[in-house]
Amino acid sequence: FFILNSCNSTEISESKLPQKENDISELVLSFSGDIMAHDVNFKMKDYNRIYDDVRDILLNDDLTFGNVETPVCEERPLSSFPCFNIHKDYLRAAIEGGFDVFSFANNHTNDQGIQGIDGTIKSFNALKEEYKNKELFSSGLKNKEDEDFKPVLIEKKGWKILFLSITELINSHGKSKHRLYYSEPTKTGREKLLLSIKKMREENPCDIFILSLHLNEVEYGLKVLDSKKAWFKALAQAGIDVVWANHPHVLQDWELSDVELLNEETTNSPSKHKKNAFFMYSMGNFISGQRWKVNYADPAYYREYTGDSIIMQLRFKKIDGILQPEIEAAPVLITNYNEKDAPVIKRFTQEWIETLPEKERAYYLKRLELMRAYLPKLK
């Protein structure tokens, strides 16, 4: 290389030339537990209060994912368990709180039948129109019965993210079950889902494929079953990179799993390679009324776990357009705290606990100890 200076030329050594920097792109995605709405939740006057203590976390990532465990139908009255329903102002508060991507496939999706599903689609479309400057996405509902499962493609900062919401459990097996992304939790049903996922991945090139999975599983269990781990690995082998699971209403463990892929180019000599996949086995509740009546006498009672969860933040990296295998996980511990008229979300820290009255302080200190005991990654 030469630089011309007047009529003279000066040689520059290659080591002194400016080096080309790698093109590094990072993406931060946040995942929550269930956005529920019991009567104590939807009767509060200002829904935005729910998010005040975590809004900055959810607004300062790239995308935040939430599972809406209720229909959102303006034409039906507000309703609590066992047949939920909210109006779109409750969902609007979640959007204002930082949520961008919504899963609508779960066991309560069709609590209000076909009218509830149509109402949810209508409400979400209205909110998308209202928030034109903030891209919103959803998966899990069908406009027509005969529609196939179809993932949504999200493009963000040059990244392509494929998102699909599936439920293995529904409360109503009437005609409305054909209007949501329901996959039977049978051997045949799961094999069919795996084939669909593999086809989706082949037909939709992407950087990350995220599956919201509402499981056919007993509620309130803290242990991750071996059968669940095997099922999640099968999903990853089919093409999923992140499995974000819900239904038990309590937080279970998570892991970055080394998944061996089988590429059967020929039946006689299959070639194998590996990839990393991230599994959130159950994210519990983000907000609910399930711990409105606090059991101060027994903080270890199984229902008390419904009020504690995390916001899981995952950081992905591409270097020169190539996705890196490492996925950085940063769980933010949160808790539902009962203010005078309704539960709100608080960051579950020692510093916050020290601000509480004595009775509450003792309870939350024990709850924090219990959470750290069965989730060692929180230490």
Side-chain angles (χ1 to χ4, degrees):
F1 294 85
F2 295 88
I3 295 177
L4 298 179
N5 181 13
S6 187
C7 293
N8 301 317
S9 63
T10 305
E11 186 173 355
I12 306 294
S13 67
E14 189 171 337
S15 63
K16 294 181 181 179
L17 287 171
Q19 299 296 307
K20 180 184 177 183
E21 294 185 1
N22 290 326
D23 179 17
I24 299 176
S25 174
E26 293 189 334
L27 191 74
V28 177
L29 307 179
S30 299
F31 298 84
S32 81
D34 298 334
I35 300 173
M36 302 193 74
H38 294 86
D39 54 1
V40 70
N41 304 118
F42 62 64
K43 286 181 179 178
M44 68 187 297
K45 293 180 180 179
D46 182 7
Y47 299 146
N48 290 297
R49 281 173 41 216
I50 295 171
Y51 304 90
D52 283 348
D53 204 41
V54 294
R55 183 177 286 106
D56 61 329
I57 297 174
L58 306 184
L59 288 175
N60 287 297
D61 59 6
D62 292 305
L63 292 168
T64 301
F65 293 71
N67 175 54
V68 182
E69 188 107 352
T70 170
V72 190
C73 182
E74 296 285 312
E75 290 74 30
R76 303 284 291 179
L78 296 168
S79 179
S80 186
F81 182 84
C83 292
F84 288 101
N85 188 54
I86 58 172
H87 294 163
K88 67 175 182 284
D89 51 351
Y90 195 84
L91 194 57
R92 181 185 290 111
I95 295 167
E96 291 284 348
F99 282 88
D100 312 278
V101 188
F102 295 93
S103 165
F104 285 124
N106 52 69
N107 62 305
H108 287 289
T109 297
N110 64 341
D111 277 359
Q112 303 295 329
I114 291 175
Q115 186 182 26
I117 291 175
D118 286 336
T120 303
I121 294 172
K122 181 181 176 182
S123 294
F124 189 69
N125 286 340
L127 288 167
K128 286 179 70 175
E129 183 68 20
E130 182 178 337
Y131 289 89
K132 287 182 179 179
N133 296 327
K134 177 182 171 68
E135 286 190 298
L136 300 175
F137 306 91
S138 72
S139 177
L141 301 180
K142 299 180 181 180
N143 289 299
K144 297 178 181 179
E145 288 185 15
D146 58 355
E147 286 182 4
D148 292 329
F149 296 168
K150 184 179 179 181
V152 60
L153 179 63
I154 303 170
E155 298 191 57
K156 189 77 174 181
K157 292 169 54 176
W159 290 69
K160 289 187 176 182
I161 304 143
L162 214 57
F163 175 59
L164 180 69
S165 172
I166 296 289
T167 183
E168 294 187 321
L169 183 66
I170 50 177
N171 293 343
S172 172
H173 285 265
K175 196 174 181 180
S176 60
K177 82 172 186 178
H178 301 295
R179 291 287 307 281
L180 64 149
Y181 287 6
Y182 169 60
S183 175
E184 292 186 355
T186 60
K187 181 180 179 181
T188 302
R190 287 185 166 182
E191 287 175 351
K192 183 179 178 181
L193 179 59
L194 291 175
L195 290 173
S196 295
I197 287 170
K198 185 178 180 182
K199 184 179 179 183
M200 291 174 194
R201 186 74 191 231
E202 291 170 351
E203 294 178 349
N204 300 275
C206 62
D207 298 298
I208 308 167
F209 194 169
I210 298 169
L211 175 67
S212 171
L213 183 62
H214 208 79
L215 290 156
N216 178 36
E217 182 179 7
V218 176
E219 295 178 332
Y220 313 121
L222 302 180
K223 184 180 179 181
V224 181
L225 301 177
D226 289 340
S227 58
K228 183 195 278 194
K229 291 184 177 183
W231 174 222
F232 281 33
K233 283 212 169 189
L235 289 164
Q237 289 172 331
I240 299 297
D241 300 300
V242 176
V243 184
W244 162 46
N246 293 284
H247 180 63
H249 297 300
V250 294
L251 181 64
Q252 294 178 1
D253 209 348
W254 56 89
E255 69 170 322
L256 181 63
S257 181
D258 189 25
V259 179
E260 191 172 76
L261 303 178
L262 187 65
N263 182 20
E264 296 187 6
E265 295 174 352
T266 67
T267 55
N268 297 324
S269 58
S271 60
K272 295 181 179 180
H273 65 284
K274 294 183 177 181
K275 75 167 187 178
N276 281 335
F278 197 85
F279 302 149
M280 290 169 272
Y281 288 109
S282 171
M283 287 293 285
N285 292 332
F286 180 73
I287 186 67
S288 81
Q290 288 192 296
R291 200 174 65 183
W292 177 240
K293 295 181 180 179
V294 177
N295 190 340
Y296 290 105
D298 187 5
Y301 186 61
Y302 78 98
R303 294 275 297 191
E304 301 308 289
Y305 286 84
T306 63
D308 303 323
S309 185
I310 59 170
I311 297 169
M312 178 61 80
Q313 294 202 299
L314 300 181
R315 185 182 298 272
F316 300 85
K317 182 184 289 186
K318 286 195 296 187
I319 299 178
D320 294 332
I322 300 172
L323 182 67
Q324 302 303 294
E326 299 82 11
I327 303 173
E328 181 183 328
V332 179
L333 192 58
I334 59 172
T335 191
N336 282 199
Y337 175 68
N338 294 338
E339 294 189 344
K340 289 183 179 180
D341 63 336
V344 299
I345 298 164
K346 294 291 184 181
R347 299 188 204 193
F348 202 179
T349 65
Q350 187 85 21
E351 293 75 18
W352 170 73
I353 294 172
E354 294 301 329
T355 68
L356 300 175
E358 183 178 352
K359 183 179 180 181
E360 292 183 339
R361 184 164 65 247
Y363 172 83
Y364 280 101
L365 281 171
K366 184 61 178 178
R367 286 297 315 144
L368 186 60
E369 177 188 328
L370 290 165
M371 292 294 286
R372 287 174 170 168
Y374 91 96
L375 291 166
K377 297 184 184 72
L378 291 174
K379 292 182 179 180

